[in-house]
Amino acid sequence: MKPSATLAINELSVKLITEGKEVYRLGFGQSPFPVPDIIVEALKRHAHQKDYLPVQGLLPLRQVVAQFFNRTYHLPVGAENVLVGPGSKELIYNFQVAASFDELLLPSPSWVSYEPQALLSGHKAIWLETQEADGYKLKAKTLLDHCSKHPGKKRVIILNYPSNPLGNTYNELELKDLADVLRQEEIVVIADEIYGEVHHEGRHQTIAKYYPEGTIISTGLSKWAGAGGWRFGIFVFPMALDHIRRAMAVVASETFTSVSAPIQYAAIEAYKEDESLQTYLKHSRRILKAVGHYVYGELTKIGVAMPRPEGGFYLYPNFGKWSMQLESKGIKNSEELCTVLLNETGVALLPGMAFGHPPEYLTARLSYVDFDGKRLLDQFLENPNLEVDPMFVPNNCPKIEKAIKNLTTWLTSL
Ligand code: PLP
């Protein structure tokens, strides 16, 4: 394994900042919003909880998580189907250690950590091709073709939607088509729905609806509740895959033991039905949608291609239109592109090759969270009817506006 391509960008960002240069951190994938007050208060109230908790998670917590899935996604989940861990990332890794399979299938591009985790746990990751015209979403036929060409393998696939790095999501028809092939080929799917609650319209759909017996849902507090640093993740299993849950609980008991006790007590508040959380989510989604569409609009105006933003906080621009000009500057791959962009515009993006795209694709991930989420959220809470007009981003997210201006000026002058 080699150090990640993202490390180089982060190191260069730090170097430029120490030299006094302005850097726009559009490479960073963290929620811009504060943790909702009622969850923070719950954490304070439970700071004294000091005992080790059950490996699978506190029962009242698993019960409210199950109820959350019942009411939000109409899934017949019970407390016994829920396993909590210190971040969904740890759970996805734990899965790869505990489960036995021949191939981990990943649509290209996919989130940066899946493949390294496969390598660390002694598995083989197989990248499945996608097309720009399909928003880089995996087609059921591509999946079927792969399985037909290499029959007899035990397979797992990770589908992440809304997507990091793409910012788009699968619609119901696409989920149904994929579910048909997954069922036919008996593939276990990890549905990484960590951005599900920040679908911009609040209309996230899960593939578990169409393929309940083979789907493990992965989620947590990191993205919708701004609590990445709290380290709290959830896996939801169907009964048919209970043997995997049990194997993962064994791995958990020999590694992280259990999630921090105060965090588990606080998470109970996060999954209860609560109006203030609905309001928090409604405004977070409106803000993310407004910023995402602003950046999308400004970049597509000059010919940068990318999927339309639908959820989460990423965009996946393709700078291929300028490939000849970039080549004459000595730029032949996405990593070189991101390095030059950072040096010459101050804008930090992550190269597409970090997400499994071939290096010569001039794609990158842009994370549009370099703004003061707390201030904006407070504004919406004080004045829920606040207009989101075309001046919303220039007025409220100056670093985003400046970053995009630098980027478009640089591209159009190539
Ligand atoms: N999956 C995706 C697609 C992500 O973007 C992230 C975080 O960046 C994770 C999983 C891991 O989240 P956590 O471990 O904080 O639950």
Side-chain angles (χ1 to χ4, degrees):
M1 290 183 68
K2 51 184 176 12
S4 74
T6 61
L7 205 68
I9 295 295
N10 286 337
E11 279 175 5
L12 181 56
S13 298
V14 171
K15 180 172 168 279
L16 292 174
I17 291 167
T18 45
E19 286 169 9
K21 306 225 169 74
E22 176 110 72
V23 168
Y24 305 92
R25 305 197 81 165
L26 308 194
F28 208 44
Q30 173 162 300
S31 164
F33 303 114
V35 180
D37 288 343
I38 63 159
I39 310 178
V40 174
E41 289 308 316
L43 183 61
K44 287 185 196 164
R45 283 199 306 280
H46 291 285
H48 66 282
Q49 297 286 355
K50 63 173 191 57
D51 291 345
Y52 289 114
L53 295 183
V55 172
Q56 196 175 343
L58 205 57
L59 181 61
L61 168 62
R62 289 185 289 114
Q63 282 167 336
V64 294
V65 168
Q67 285 156 11
F68 167 85
F69 280 94
N70 302 156
R71 72 172 179 274
T72 314
Y73 299 110
H74 312 292
L75 296 175
V77 175
E80 66 281 10
N81 307 120
V82 176
L83 172 71
V84 305
S88 63
K89 186 183 202 169
E90 182 67 31
L91 287 172
I92 298 168
Y93 179 63
N94 179 328
F95 170 93
Q96 299 208 48
V97 172
S100 100
F101 56 94
D102 305 314
E103 288 183 350
L104 177 73
L105 304 180
L106 300 173
S108 163
S110 281
W111 183 48
V112 286
S113 290
Y114 304 139
E115 186 186 34
Q117 289 191 345
L119 296 175
L120 284 171
S121 57
H123 289 293
K124 196 163 135 194
I126 309 265
W127 291 99
L128 298 176
E129 232 183 273
T130 63
Q131 302 301 322
E132 185 174 19
D134 301 324
Y136 305 105
K137 287 189 269 186
L138 179 66
K139 300 296 274 184
K141 185 174 178 317
T142 308
L143 180 60
L144 185 59
D145 286 350
H146 173 80
C147 298
S148 313
K149 256 192 238 151
H150 313 277
K153 301 255 194 237
K154 205 167 162 194
R155 298 185 164 96
V156 170
I157 189 168
I158 306 183
L159 291 177
N160 163 230
Y161 53 95
S163 161
N164 173 8
L166 299 169
N168 60 3
T169 192
Y170 290 95
N171 62 37
E172 290 201 48
L173 197 61
E174 290 162 339
L175 290 176
K176 267 186 213 160
D177 285 350
L178 286 167
D180 289 345
V181 177
L182 293 167
R183 176 175 291 115
Q184 179 190 315
E185 299 294 328
E186 297 181 20
I187 300 173
V188 170
V189 56
I190 295 182
D192 183 344
E193 303 185 4
I194 191 97
Y195 297 94
E197 304 330 302
V198 277
H199 182 290
H200 294 170
E201 308 297 337
R203 287 207 295 265
H204 175 67
Q205 294 284 350
T206 173
I207 196 164
K209 188 169 154 190
Y210 306 109
Y211 182 40
E213 72 278 22
T215 302
I216 300 169
I217 298 176
S218 173
T219 185
L221 287 180
S222 298
K223 308 300 172 178
W224 75 263
W230 285 27
R231 310 310 301 129
F232 180 79
I234 295 171
F235 260 30
V236 178
F237 297 83
M239 274 331 279
L241 299 179
D242 201 52
H243 58 286
I244 300 181
R245 182 193 61 75
R246 289 197 304 271
M248 283 183 64
V250 172
V251 174
S253 74
E254 299 298 357
T255 51
F256 61 79
T257 305
S258 59
V259 173
S260 147
I263 295 290
Q264 290 205 43
Y265 283 99
I268 294 178
E269 290 309 312
Y271 285 94
K272 276 187 187 160
E273 199 161 12
D274 179 274
E275 212 178 300
S276 74
L277 291 180
Q278 287 311 316
T279 308
Y280 168 96
L281 273 176
K282 185 173 89 183
H283 295 315
S284 309
R285 290 167 181 153
R286 276 182 83 189
I287 295 165
L288 291 174
K289 180 177 170 185
V291 183
H293 278 265
Y294 170 86
V295 177
Y296 174 83
E298 293 300 305
L299 291 179
T300 48
K301 220 180 340 195
I302 62 156
V304 186
M306 76 198 85
R308 273 179 85 80
E310 293 175 308
F313 29 76
Y314 307 104
L315 288 166
Y316 196 70
N318 179 355
F319 300 98
K321 178 181 164 184
W322 292 272
S323 61
M324 298 228 308
Q325 293 92 319
L326 292 169
E327 199 173 339
S328 67
K329 275 173 88 78
I331 297 168
K332 294 174 299 302
N333 64 47
S334 56
E335 195 172 6
E336 289 166 358
L337 170 65
C338 288
T339 305
V340 173
L341 264 177
L342 179 53
N343 269 318
E344 297 190 8
T345 68
V347 179
L349 303 179
L350 295 186
M353 57 191 276
F355 300 88
H357 250 170
E360 66 277 14
Y361 285 21
L362 296 175
T363 51
R365 188 194 76 178
L366 182 158
S367 165
Y368 49 86
V369 289
D370 199 353
F371 60 86
D372 185 345
K374 176 166 170 32
R375 194 183 64 82
L376 275 184
L377 207 52
D378 285 346
Q379 270 185 32
F380 275 94
L381 289 171
E382 262 168 48
N383 180 3
N385 299 321
L386 205 68
E387 279 276 319
V388 177
D389 60 23
M391 287 311 288
F392 178 79
V393 170
N395 288 342
N396 293 289
C397 314
K399 289 198 86 174
I400 299 271
E401 188 202 21
K402 187 77 193 344
I404 301 307
K405 206 158 259 164
N406 285 6
L407 209 52
T408 51
T409 307
W410 189 82
L411 287 166
T412 49
S413 66
L414 278 173

